[in-house]
Amino acid sequence: MYKYNDFDEAFVRERVAQFSGQVARRIDGSLTEDEFRPLRLMNGLYLQLHAYMLRVAIPYGTLNSRQMDQLAYIAETYDRGYGHFTTRQNIQYNWPKLPDVPAILEKLADVEMHAIQTSGNTIRNVTADHFAGAAADEVADPRPVAELIRQWSTDHPEFQFLPRKFKVAVSGATADRAVIKAHDVGIYLREQDGELGAQIIVGGGLGRTPMVGKVLKEWVAFEDLLPYLEATVSVWNLLGRRDNKYKARIKITVHEHGIDDIRARVEERFAQIKPAFGGIDREMLSEIETHFAPPAFRNAPTDEFDRAYETDPVFRSWADTNLSAHKATGYAIATISIKKPGDTPGDASADQMRTLAGLARDFGHDELRISHEQNVILPHVHKSDLPRIHAILKATGLATANVGLASDIIACPGMDYCALATARSIPVAQGIATRVEELGIEHDIGELKIKISGCINACGHHHVGHIGILGLDRAGVENYQITLGGDATETMVIGDRTGPGFAYDEIVPAIERIVETYLALRLNEDETFLEAYRRLGMAPFKAALYPAKEETAPKEKANAA
Amino acid sequence: MPRPFTPKAITANALLEGDVIYLSHDGQWVRDLRAARAFTEQDAAEAALATASKDGMVVGAYLTDVKLGEHGPEPTHFREEFRRTGPSNYFHGKQETTNGVAANV
């Protein structure tokens, strides 16, 4: 993985020193809150409902064991003993105290990490396929490109005061695991006639106006990738609306101007700026690529895996659910679920973080990934080590076999922590996961992506959940709208709203009725929830959700008349 | 006819810890809503808010609706209920540390 050079090190240390001074001046009264707020946000420090929250960048979701150990140390020393992995592949600390933040940033800098540009109207932390460098279906490793974009976008002088935040995601695989089409710019690395290039997607996003990204350019040669990205952001920086923050994201700019107009402007800008790059971006990418050489995979028998798989049903269940195909023979990608039913999705204790770090160090070529689905991944594990890994996970409450299933729920922090939230989301996730576990039907249900947001900003990606839940404040009461049929992959679809929302104590039973309807109507066990929904449409699910309302509807109409 | 004034408390976050705090009867910031001063007149509430907002050790002071309960002011909206008690996903945060005892900032 990427190692800081002298420039990176000096830059991050300087920012820590700057922010330390700013914190000191805020505390002694030299800076007002109005003056301090933009400065703290530039460094990832929010003031939330109950406390400060520090959002730490995990570039393209990649960590090594030393970094994970340090995150555990910070959780234990400066927070309440845990951290929260987010849908942006970052980690958030929910309880830091303002005077401690400079020390936390110093500890992060010690392991080549920071919180820069995790907030504000800048280019945010670049996200990527969490199976990068490991997936069997990968055309190219997205991490070097993501790292190049990270370096280019960090403190980029032209892009520090954009109309709004700007999110870039990169995938180099056939399957889209990085929600590429819901980003301001999404990059699919592709191979064409033996050459690498990229398809550029623009104007995707969720939030109050969900939109599936559109193809800005089918093919951009590798040497043109960074100038083309710069041209795109540059066009939006001038064109994007600053009069209304709800219309400022590039998805609205693309919608208002049309993709053809945006494309023409980007091409024109690209022609202007391309010569200025002069090949330095290619040189940087070549240097960065050396940091991402594959580990020395070992060629060894997998007998231990085969034996455990045959004899241990608990291990077999975990292996069937949590492992994915690796590009190297004898290896697997292991997803560690941070979704034990009843627990908070994405929360890991300091002890659990240390366990994960140890597993990466001892068995995983020192690599860890954080997924946007709020799980942790050991990307390179030899299969013969998996029985031992599973035993260690079991001992620390991390062996939940539910990846991709109904209790593997994405949930934003919601009103339990977030100042913007309009309703809670975590307890809804806890309720659904607990109920599914009680019923013991999770593996029978099969693949089902439930995603929950506690406000319209959609950090929980509810629009693209097979079942999406949006928590709102309706006249001072929590109310939950349901969407069905969303799809977060390369075939992205925004889900359809079922109808009126449900009260807090009604939402878990409502989800249960949806699941029961699916189980009753699916063609066979192989037809997934999403496939069944696409075949059946909304009608049977609506009938299951609103039986009483349908019966009383004519009467209400008659009264109204 | 003017609408009746809903009683208000003044709440904010503490600068250093970020904790939810309330302005008490004697002008101190406390962590327990029950010890907060409930304003029953709009002018007095707004004047107190203007003064409280100048306190450099608090952030984002605002007026929040309360109802007058047996043991002091109580929240009227669920958001303020969570601010008062802490996260509901599990027992930690404010409810773990204050035990309902008022404390100075």
Side-chain angles (χ1 to χ4, degrees):
Chain A
M1 63 186 284
Y2 182 73
K3 298 274 178 215
Y4 276 12
N5 59 23
D6 291 346
F7 177 86
D8 298 317
E9 168 76 15
F11 173 75
V12 170
R13 295 289 180 189
E14 189 185 348
R15 281 291 291 262
V16 173
Q18 283 173 357
F19 190 58
S20 300
Q22 290 157 358
V23 169
R25 290 199 294 283
R26 175 67 183 107
I27 292 172
D28 74 16
S30 308
L31 288 175
T32 66
E33 185 60 22
D34 283 347
E35 290 164 332
F36 180 63
R37 188 171 177 273
L39 300 173
R40 68 169 159 77
L41 289 175
M42 280 178 196
N43 292 282
L45 186 64
Y46 289 72
L47 184 52
Q48 294 284 31
L49 215 54
H50 310 288
Y52 287 97
M53 179 272 281
L54 183 67
R55 181 180 294 154
V56 177
I58 300 176
Y60 33 94
T62 298
L63 286 171
N64 60 28
S65 63
R66 187 165 158 256
Q67 291 171 323
M68 186 66 106
D69 274 335
Q70 191 78 325
L71 294 178
Y73 171 81
I74 291 168
E76 221 162 49
T77 310
Y78 301 104
D79 210 87
R80 295 195 181 211
Y82 74 98
H84 177 73
F85 293 112
T86 76
T87 56
R88 296 269 311 139
Q89 297 181 297
N90 290 322
I91 187 168
Q92 295 181 172
Y93 292 107
N94 288 326
W95 306 96
K97 294 177 175 57
L98 181 60
D100 290 339
V101 174
I104 297 173
L105 296 180
E106 196 72 53
K107 296 292 179 195
L108 290 169
D110 289 346
V111 293
E112 304 182 5
M113 295 183 78
H114 60 70
I116 299 165
Q117 288 182 208
T118 59
S119 177
N121 293 336
T122 56
I123 299 173
R124 299 288 187 89
N125 185 38
V126 181
T127 53
D129 183 353
H130 43 264
F131 291 171
D137 68 340
E138 191 168 86
V139 175
D141 186 341
R143 291 173 301 164
V145 169
E147 173 58 27
L148 180 69
I149 295 170
R150 187 192 71 79
Q151 294 189 17
W152 160 82
S153 63
T154 301
D155 217 27
H156 191 303
E158 191 181 335
F159 301 142
Q160 291 304 295
F161 297 94
L162 292 167
R164 199 74 175 85
K165 59 188 165 186
F166 197 90
K167 298 174 182 174
V168 181
V170 192
S171 167
T174 312
D176 179 357
R177 290 175 284 263
V179 207
I180 294 290
K181 289 183 176 174
H183 283 77
D184 295 290
V185 162
I187 298 172
Y188 286 119
L189 302 182
R190 296 282 183 257
E191 199 176 59
Q192 193 172 286
D193 302 326
E195 283 202 21
L196 277 178
Q199 184 191 53
I200 308 294
I201 307 293
V202 71
L206 301 175
R208 69 178 57 223
T209 317
M211 289 191 186
V212 178
K214 299 173 176 68
V215 176
L216 182 62
K217 190 150 183 164
E218 275 297 345
W219 177 261
V220 173
F222 236 44
E223 67 255 32
D224 293 339
L225 189 54
L226 203 55
Y228 199 84
L229 180 58
E230 180 157 310
T232 307
V233 185
S234 179
V235 163
W236 170 66
N237 195 19
L238 287 175
L239 208 58
R241 289 180 58 169
R242 292 169 194 265
D243 61 321
N244 181 343
K245 76 172 190 173
Y246 302 119
K247 295 186 175 178
R249 296 289 288 270
I250 196 171
K251 63 188 174 185
I252 305 295
T253 315
V254 171
H255 180 70
E256 289 184 346
H257 289 262
I259 186 72
D260 294 335
D261 178 76
I262 297 296
R263 187 179 295 118
R265 289 172 191 260
V266 170
E267 292 291 342
E268 187 185 346
R269 181 73 181 148
F270 171 75
Q272 287 171 351
I273 66 172
K274 165 73 179 166
F277 278 73
I280 185 71
D281 50 323
R282 286 294 299 150
E283 286 172 30
M284 287 177 70
L285 183 60
S286 298
E287 197 278 325
I288 290 168
E289 280 170 343
T290 63
H291 295 266
F292 293 96
F297 295 122
R298 70 181 197 264
N299 189 5
T302 60
D303 298 352
E304 281 185 63
F305 173 86
D306 299 336
R307 200 160 34 246
Y309 192 86
E310 287 302 316
T311 58
D312 180 353
V314 177
F315 175 76
R316 184 163 61 243
S317 172
W318 180 80
D320 285 344
T321 310
N322 292 33
L323 300 183
S324 302
H326 198 283
K327 61 169 70 169
T329 307
Y331 273 74
I333 301 168
T335 299
I336 315 303
S337 171
I338 313 293
K339 310 286 181 63
K340 187 177 176 185
D343 286 359
T344 299
D347 273 12
S349 69
D351 282 346
Q352 289 176 327
M353 287 187 226
R354 287 202 184 91
T355 297
L356 293 163
L359 290 173
R361 198 162 35 238
D362 297 341
F363 302 105
H365 297 277
D366 207 30
E367 284 204 37
L368 290 156
R369 306 283 165 70
I370 309 304
S371 75
H372 78 272
E373 292 175 320
Q374 302 178 278
N375 289 318
V376 178
I377 286 121
L378 292 167
H380 309 298
V381 183
H382 194 270
K383 283 185 165 184
S384 62
D385 293 328
L386 282 165
R388 272 183 292 170
I389 290 172
H390 183 249
I392 293 167
L393 291 173
K394 270 203 296 192
T396 44
L398 288 167
T400 308
N402 66 349
V403 171
L405 303 181
S407 63
D408 183 11
I409 298 169
I410 286 185
C412 74
M415 198 174 272
D416 286 302
Y417 301 94
C418 178
L420 297 175
T422 45
R424 287 172 291 170
S425 53
I426 291 169
V428 176
Q430 290 172 306
I432 294 170
T434 304
R435 181 64 183 148
V436 164
E437 191 186 37
E438 281 167 3
L439 294 171
I441 55 173
E442 184 159 45
H443 289 267
D444 186 26
I445 298 167
E447 187 187 10
L448 178 57
K449 307 265 189 184
I450 301 176
K451 301 177 196 280
I452 309 173
S453 302
C455 84
I456 201 162
N457 293 311
C459 293
H461 297 191
H462 65 277
H463 296 294
V464 291
H466 300 166
I467 298 175
I469 301 171
L470 167 62
L472 295 168
D473 175 350
R474 285 278 181 261
V477 179
E478 288 169 292
N479 187 271
Y480 294 87
Q481 291 180 355
I482 299 174
T483 48
L484 298 178
D487 175 0
T489 71
E490 64 279 6
T491 50
M492 182 171 284
V493 173
I494 305 296
D496 307 313
R497 208 177 128 191
T498 58
F502 294 84
Y504 178 75
D505 57 0
E506 293 173 341
I507 185 65
V508 175
I511 300 304
E512 190 175 335
R513 291 204 293 282
I514 292 170
V515 170
E516 283 170 352
T517 304
Y518 155 67
L519 290 173
L521 298 179
R522 67 181 176 185
L523 290 175
N524 53 51
E525 287 181 9
D526 293 332
E527 189 181 41
T528 65
F529 177 88
L530 189 58
E531 289 164 350
Y533 176 78
R534 286 173 175 168
R535 176 175 60 82
L536 294 162
M538 179 65 84
F541 297 99
K542 209 164 179 165
L545 284 173
Y546 307 105
K549 285 204 168 109
E550 288 199 341
E551 283 161 25
T552 57
K555 208 181 285 176
E556 281 171 7
K557 216 171 185 179
N559 289 343
Chain B
M1 198 173 136
R3 286 170 57 188
F5 180 71
T6 306
K8 303 276 192 289
I10 294 176
T11 184
N13 289 81
L15 172 69
L16 299 182
E17 299 194 336
D19 285 15
V20 176
I21 50 176
Y22 306 94
L23 193 68
S24 72
H25 289 272
D26 59 359
Q28 300 295 306
W29 291 100
V30 295
R31 283 168 168 74
D32 187 344
L33 177 58
R34 290 172 297 183
R37 177 179 173 187
F39 293 87
T40 53
E41 292 179 4
Q42 186 163 352
D43 289 350
E46 286 175 0
L49 176 63
T51 304
S53 298
K54 290 179 188 155
D55 186 338
M57 297 307 283
V58 308
V59 182
Y62 64 93
L63 296 173
T64 181
D65 287 354
V66 291
K67 58 189 175 194
L68 303 176
E70 195 181 334
H71 301 290
E74 295 172 3
T76 61
H77 189 279
F78 62 89
R79 185 176 194 272
E80 291 300 327
E81 175 63 25
F82 296 131
R83 286 186 79 241
R84 185 175 73 95
T85 51
S88 70
N89 50 331
Y90 64 100
F91 188 82
H92 75 310
K94 193 166 187 169
Q95 69 268 55
E96 190 183 40
T97 52
T98 61
N99 295 318
V101 178
N104 290 328
V105 174

